Amino acid sequence: MTSPPPLNGIRVLEFAGLAPGPFAGLLLADYGATVLRINRVTPGAHTSTLPPPTPDLLTRHKSSIAIDLKSRSGIALLRALIPIVDVVIDPFRPVVLEKLGLSPEDVLLKLNPRVVVARMTGFRRDGKYAAMAGHDINYIAVAGVLGMLGRKGEKPYAPGNILGDFAGGGAVCFMGVVMALLGRERTGRGQVVEANMVDGSAYLASMPRLAMKGPMWDEARGENFLDGGCPWYDTYETKDGGYMAVGALEPQFFAALLKGLRIDPSSLPGKREDRSTWPALADLFTKTFKSKPRAEWEQVFDGTDACCTPVFSQAELEAAGFDQRPIVTLKNTPAKAIIQSAKDVAQGQGIGVEGQGWSSMGLSPGDGGEELLGKWMGWRRGRQYELKDGGLVLQQQQSKL
């Protein structure tokens, strides 16, 4: 028998932001936290005809209220919520919260000494780029990570925004929040969690960075074992335009790869450890993989230890009914379900969400937020707060308290 998700009962205020902040909030929501997203004022918010969802797609299991952060009564409403929440996610550039009168140390932690304030920035707050705008590509660039990625003789290649925004940003921020909550169990005190994508992505690159002092990664970009330089750790096009991924690093796996490709080891251009043979070996693999469609290569390598697998597209997986799952399985306290009617704890627990991890219905400003205010605070519109110009404000008599 399973118990509720591990973060059940944790209350989170998430200021609307770009990818990493909402992703941290998504992780918290998936693992049971109640996440209230703070959106900007929007015409139609909190009415029977809600405005269209915001561009943010990372809104699963969340609710929303719209607040005018430039309004004193809007800020007053927000301050009134701080004493009853556990986590605040700040996705803004440095000093934005301070300018709003919501300094974590001077205001938020005084209003609620147990609150965890997670501050997510791109650049380091104490670095030369602190005041500059940037995106994932900039953060992994100054972290020394982007310079490691790309083919031989070509410019550095950014892997989408997965490494900075999501891995080094949102996921690291989530981990910091969970550690701070664990620390609070011992000390009774909240704290500020400082996360940034420079440090996050640099830390994720610990292994390749350290490997640069040895033979695994001591050559130029694109000439190493794991960055596309090694012919038995690469991708190859098939006859029908598909691709196979090869990761046969160990000798026994390499032998299984050759067996599947029907290549006689004695016909190789030389010892595989000899880097001078790599171009010829890569050409041999390229020609061999091009001789059959991907489906046939799948039949050859499925069930073997050749470390050779098809490269699936997201569209293929969706069409095949691949089940999207939470990031990690907790056997006794699983996350909330992503897919409908999940029965296996690996898929989470509960009803699931529309789209089943393949599409997002988004979240409209004001959707579900007032119901949550009623549960958290016992508030009702017209008593403790009002709707004004597309956002909620605290009643004047409440603001003076």
Side-chain angles (χ1 to χ4, degrees), residues 108-346:
L108 302 185
L109 279 164
K110 288 184 178 178
L111 289 171
N112 180 0
R114 289 176 54 83
V115 74
V116 172
V117 183
R119 313 198 77 177
M120 180 74 254
T121 60
F123 296 116
R124 291 173 169 175
R125 287 181 180 272
D126 59 350
K128 62 177 289 188
Y129 306 105
M132 291 173 51
H135 282 294
D136 181 297
I137 192 170
N138 307 115
Y139 310 136
I140 66 174
V142 302
V145 178
L146 180 59
M148 304 174 75
L149 307 175
R151 291 288 185 178
K152 177 182 177 181
E154 298 182 6
K155 62 183 181 180
Y157 184 80
N161 66 334
I162 297 172
L163 184 54
D165 279 347
F166 294 101
V172 168
C173 183
F174 167 75
M175 181 169 60
V177 169
V178 172
M179 288 190 291
L181 290 173
L182 178 62
R184 190 179 72 173
E185 291 296 307
R186 298 171 180 171
T187 67
R189 298 189 302 275
Q191 61 181 297
V192 175
V193 174
E194 290 279 9
N196 70 78
M197 286 173 263
V198 173
D199 291 338
S201 59
Y203 199 96
L204 290 170
S206 292
M207 179 270 175
R209 182 176 64 252
L210 297 173
M212 294 178 75
K213 304 297 183 181
M216 180 64 74
W217 214 301
D218 61 345
E219 298 292 335
R221 179 176 61 251
E223 298 182 41
N224 299 286
F225 279 87
L226 303 180
D227 65 356
C230 175
W232 58 90
Y233 198 92
D234 206 345
T235 58
Y236 292 94
E237 187 176 3
T238 59
K239 187 176 182 179
D240 58 346
Y243 289 89
M244 296 293 289
V246 174
L249 291 174
E250 290 78 7
Q252 68 273 25
F253 302 152
F254 185 74
L257 175 67
L258 295 182
K259 180 180 179 181
L261 293 174
R262 295 187 177 182
I263 295 176
D264 186 344
S266 64
S267 69
L268 298 181
K271 292 184 177 180
R272 71 176 192 138
E273 295 81 9
D274 182 355
R275 291 175 185 252
S276 67
T277 69
W278 285 8
L281 189 54
D283 287 342
L284 177 59
F285 286 171
T286 297
K287 293 175 182 177
T288 305
F289 275 107
K290 285 280 283 186
S291 68
K292 295 180 181 180
R294 195 188 73 184
E296 290 188 29
W297 287 123
E298 290 182 58
Q299 292 178 351
V300 169
F301 289 111
D302 280 0
T304 74
D305 281 346
C307 301
C308 186
T309 58
V311 177
F312 290 127
S313 69
Q314 294 289 333
E316 285 180 285
L317 291 175
E318 182 178 7
F322 180 86
D323 55 311
Q324 296 290 346
R325 300 179 179 182
I327 194 170
V328 67
T329 299
L330 302 177
K331 292 291 188 177
N332 295 330
T333 56
K336 291 182 179 179
I338 297 175
I339 69 171
Q340 297 285 0
S341 303
K343 296 180 180 179
D344 189 314
V345 295

